[in-house]
Amino acid sequence: MRVAFRGLRHREALIFRGTERWAEFSPFIEYRDEEAARWLASAISFANEPLPKLNRTKIGINATLPALPISELKKTLERFGEFQTLKLKIAEAGQSLAADLERIHYLAEHYPNVRLRLDANGALSVAMAKQLVMQLTEFNIDYLEQPVSSIAEMVELRRFIAEMNLNILIAADELIRKAEDPLLVSQQKAADVVMLKVQPLGGIASALRISEQAGLPTVVSSALETSIGISQGLYLAASLEELNYDCGLGTLNLLEGDVCERPLIPENGFLEVREVEPSTRLLSEFAADPARTSWWLERLERCHRLLEA
Ligand SMILES: O=C(O)CCC(=O)C1=CC=C[C@@H](O)[C@@H]1C(=O)O
């Protein structure tokens, strides 16, 4: 990684070719096999199945910003070129709400035409989230993503926002991608927007089903993949019936390198929906050492056994 993102400094991915195309299996290292197996189901389906019917050929993309010191924000955003939407990580370990608000003020002042979305990854208490939403009304806010962690807390926060007439939308991410039942969020009215990540949801077809059954506006974002996994996310975004938000698929800008010669890096805030091929040169440049390779192959086998069971 070029910059640490939620404490992550290093990204590993297993890339393989199926009957149709290349696919990526890249659950985060600490994920248990039961969770990682869904990521494998996603990769296998992308590798071997036909592409979905597309409803658009390019996707609007948000810039993604870790909770960096203010002096580094501009430089980090330069890599994204033009963008209309910016997602900022907030409530990261060791960061105060005051420091987050300082970043929000800075971004609103220096990028006045950009819509901001804030992602807390469920780290705020309800009391802190209430305090935060009260201070957001002066900004151009797309939505607040997973401010608190449980469904009950999300419901309570949404009720507070409605009572206070604050006009702030709440998006669910972890509550969709890590839940036993991703539809509980919409059934319990715990969010206004759902965030879909293709690998954790088991592939394009199952993510499309979740979006349809949830019946809420949908955003697609990456799981910090190489261009191969980003391409799968783009096909998901392109096949949604409706897409009214920019998607978080511009994350190659956060990585040091990629396996494709023509990486999926947004231009003027958009990514073209296309297939990609890794190059032999880049695959060997970023090849893992033998110990990591064996670790991944063993993980692959265990997850595959879980899928077969
Ligand atoms: O949504 C985006 O702009 C980019 C994707 C992104 O932020 C994430 C990808 C993968 C893991 C997460 O830490 C993070 C997220 O929480 O959404």
Side-chain angles (χ1 to χ4, degrees):
M1 309 271 312
R2 262 187 234 273
V3 278
F5 189 65
R6 269 185 78 209
L8 195 70
R9 298 188 169 272
H10 186 75
R11 192 74 178 103
E12 296 182 6
L14 187 151
I15 309 287
F16 65 92
R17 201 183 185 333
T19 53
E20 298 291 319
R21 64 191 60 78
W22 287 85
E24 169 168 347
F25 170 57
S26 53
F28 295 102
I29 303 298
E30 69 278 13
Y31 283 14
R32 294 164 54 88
D33 291 347
E34 288 69 24
E35 186 168 2
R38 279 206 301 270
W39 297 55
L40 181 59
S42 167
I44 291 175
S45 66
F46 192 53
N48 297 327
E49 288 172 15
L51 293 170
K53 174 178 154 288
L54 304 189
N55 290 312
R56 54 198 68 78
T57 56
K58 60 177 193 167
I59 307 294
I61 301 293
N62 64 270
T64 305
L65 198 54
L68 293 167
I70 290 209
S71 58
E72 289 175 34
L73 299 182
K74 244 202 162 111
K75 188 181 72 200
T76 309
L77 282 173
E78 269 163 22
R79 279 188 216 113
F80 286 88
E82 273 178 41
F83 52 87
Q84 326 171 57
T85 313
L86 167 57
K87 163 160 149 176
L88 172 68
K89 288 274 167 199
I90 59 164
E92 286 204 349
Q95 300 282 340
S96 66
L97 202 53
D100 285 331
L101 280 164
E102 225 177 285
R103 269 186 285 270
I104 296 167
H105 272 279
Y106 173 90
L107 293 168
E109 188 186 328
H110 290 82
Y111 301 86
N113 300 320
V114 165
R115 294 184 63 75
L116 284 178
R117 48 179 80 151
L118 310 173
D119 183 6
N121 292 105
L124 294 172
S125 63
V126 177
M128 279 175 88
K130 286 180 178 173
Q131 216 183 312
L132 174 67
V133 290
M134 296 284 282
Q135 297 183 68
L136 293 181
T137 47
E138 62 181 290
F139 303 109
N140 189 4
I141 302 285
D142 230 9
Y143 53 72
L144 181 55
E145 187 177 327
Q146 196 73 55
V148 289
S149 62
S150 73
I151 295 215
E153 291 170 325
M154 296 274 275
V155 170
E156 184 182 343
L157 182 62
R158 282 190 75 231
R159 200 173 303 133
F160 175 78
I161 289 169
E163 277 163 14
M164 303 298 285
N165 249 321
L166 293 178
N167 197 20
I168 301 265
L169 300 181
I170 301 293
D173 174 15
E174 281 82 353
L175 277 174
I176 305 273
R177 73 178 143 107
K178 287 181 168 281
E180 285 286 308
D181 180 358
L183 293 176
L184 275 184
V185 164
S186 55
Q187 285 160 4
Q188 309 271 326
K189 303 198 181 344
D192 305 282
V193 174
V194 292
M195 173 66 66
L196 300 183
K197 288 185 165 69
V198 71
Q199 281 201 79
L201 294 175
I204 294 177
S206 81
L208 281 176
R209 250 189 330 269
I210 291 168
S211 165
E212 202 176 294
Q213 291 173 357
L216 290 173
T218 298
V219 182
V220 177
S221 86
S222 85
L224 303 177
E225 288 109 333
T226 72
S227 283
I228 314 269
I230 296 288
S231 169
Q232 187 178 9
L234 282 170
Y235 279 101
L236 167 60
S239 60
L240 288 165
E241 278 305 322
E242 248 187 68
L243 180 63
N244 298 319
Y245 285 98
D246 284 346
C247 287
L249 295 167
T251 47
L252 266 177
N253 277 317
L254 300 171
L255 299 187
E256 193 71 53
D258 185 34
V259 292
C260 299
E261 299 286 350
R262 262 184 76 213
L264 286 166
I265 290 182
E267 276 172 39
N268 302 324
F270 285 91
L271 268 172
E272 176 199 347
V273 181
R274 61 176 165 91
E275 291 193 68
V276 289
E277 289 266 326
S279 82
T280 320
R281 178 182 77 84
L282 290 166
L283 281 177
S284 75
E285 186 179 329
F286 289 107
D289 65 34
R292 292 311 294 158
T293 304
S294 317
W295 185 88
W296 273 97
L297 290 173
E298 283 162 22
R299 187 186 209 190
L300 176 70
E301 262 185 45
R302 290 193 313 270
C303 290
H304 192 247
R305 270 199 303 274
L306 284 178
L307 290 181
E308 302 259 276

